[in-house]
Amino acid sequence: MIWAVIPAAGRGSRFGGETPKQYLEIAGRPLIAHALDALLSHPRVAGAMVALSKNDALWPGWANLHGKPVLRCVGGGERADSVLAALQALPADVGDDTLVLVHDAARPNLRSEDLDRLIAAASAHADGAILGAPVRDTLKRADAAAHIAATEPRERLWRAFTPQAFRRGALTAALEQAQAAGIVVTDEAMAMERTGAHPALVEGREDNLKVTTPADLALASYLISNR
């Protein structure tokens, strides 16, 4: 059994506008619908838990997709709070050893072959695994005036994507520890790293992009429309 968790309680302030970005539409459907489809269409994924804002009035009310349950809970102020709330709200038969896939609501172009390889890697590695890609651009460090201060080596640097796959019990404990320490983790792997874990990196497709800006939305729309 594998479950998916989607944190969707944020408003996407970097994008701007009144509509939370997970509800922006491409190809006639909101981003979160594409994200859920990508996860729940996989034969190994049994269901999804979506963490929503307490006052979310835009949730379409899906109870199942692809014949699988779509459950919801109230998320928190930070991504990690929403992921933790979703993990704690999973059904009672989802044990601590169950693999959980945490995926961005605004990452609509996940491919099944990437999901296959991520699940295989996370199943074989006790510390879990994440999708990502090696950094290919030259990296510059800026000073306070936005002038180049240095060129940084890019060897062994990766960009982290989602899904990120971990056992429910280990990830729950890692997020609880970070929360208790007052540390805001920016992804699930960071929480796991704090416990001494070394998750595996699985190279995924570069077009598994997260919609953060209007330009990203246009690109995601093009990619989805041309699949």
Side-chain angles (χ1 to χ4, degrees):
M1 180 193 304
I2 297 173
W3 271 74
V5 160
I6 296 189
R11 293 200 52 83
S13 57
R14 283 178 292 177
F15 191 95
E18 292 299 315
T19 303
K21 66 181 179 180
Q22 60 267 29
Y23 294 121
L24 297 172
E25 292 194 355
I26 56 174
R29 305 178 70 210
L31 293 177
I32 193 171
H34 293 283
L36 282 166
D37 271 348
L39 294 162
L40 293 173
S41 62
H42 194 280
R44 300 269 316 268
V45 178
M49 176 67 71
V50 184
L52 301 172
S53 168
K54 182 178 180 180
N55 300 314
D56 190 327
L58 297 176
W59 173 248
W62 299 306
N64 63 80
L65 291 170
H66 297 276
K68 299 172 183 179
V70 178
L71 309 179
R72 57 180 174 164
C73 67
V74 176
E78 300 288 346
R79 173 198 173 88
D81 300 328
S82 292
V83 173
L84 181 56
L87 290 169
Q88 293 170 338
L90 286 170
D93 63 342
V94 180
D96 282 349
D97 289 333
T98 300
L99 200 64
V100 175
L101 307 172
V102 183
H103 189 49
D104 296 322
R107 205 178 283 268
N109 199 38
L110 173 65
R111 301 293 188 113
S112 60
E113 57 265 32
D114 275 4
L115 200 46
D116 286 338
R117 291 187 300 108
L118 174 67
I119 289 171
S123 298
H125 188 45
D127 289 346
I130 74 169
L131 284 179
V135 171
R136 308 188 200 280
D137 297 320
T138 298
L139 293 176
K140 303 294 185 181
R141 182 178 297 279
D143 62 18
H147 298 155
I148 293 174
T151 298
E152 299 289 347
R154 65 189 176 200
E155 290 77 15
R156 299 188 183 180
L157 292 180
W158 285 57
R159 293 181 293 133
F161 300 164
T162 70
Q164 302 195 356
F166 303 101
R167 275 83 184 164
R168 180 194 185 185
L171 181 56
T172 300
L175 290 169
E176 288 174 342
Q177 289 174 27
Q179 188 181 74
I183 295 172
V184 178
V185 294
T186 54
D187 71 352
E188 293 67 53
M190 181 179 172
M192 293 294 292
E193 291 159 36
R194 292 189 67 256
T195 70
H198 297 279
L201 289 160
V202 178
E203 186 168 355
R205 292 176 59 106
E206 300 267 2
D207 59 5
N208 178 19
L209 79 162
K210 183 179 181 180
V211 174
T212 304
T213 68
D216 296 333
L217 185 68
L219 178 55
S221 180
Y222 173 80
L223 292 169
I224 293 289
S225 298
N226 287 275
R227 283 182 64 162

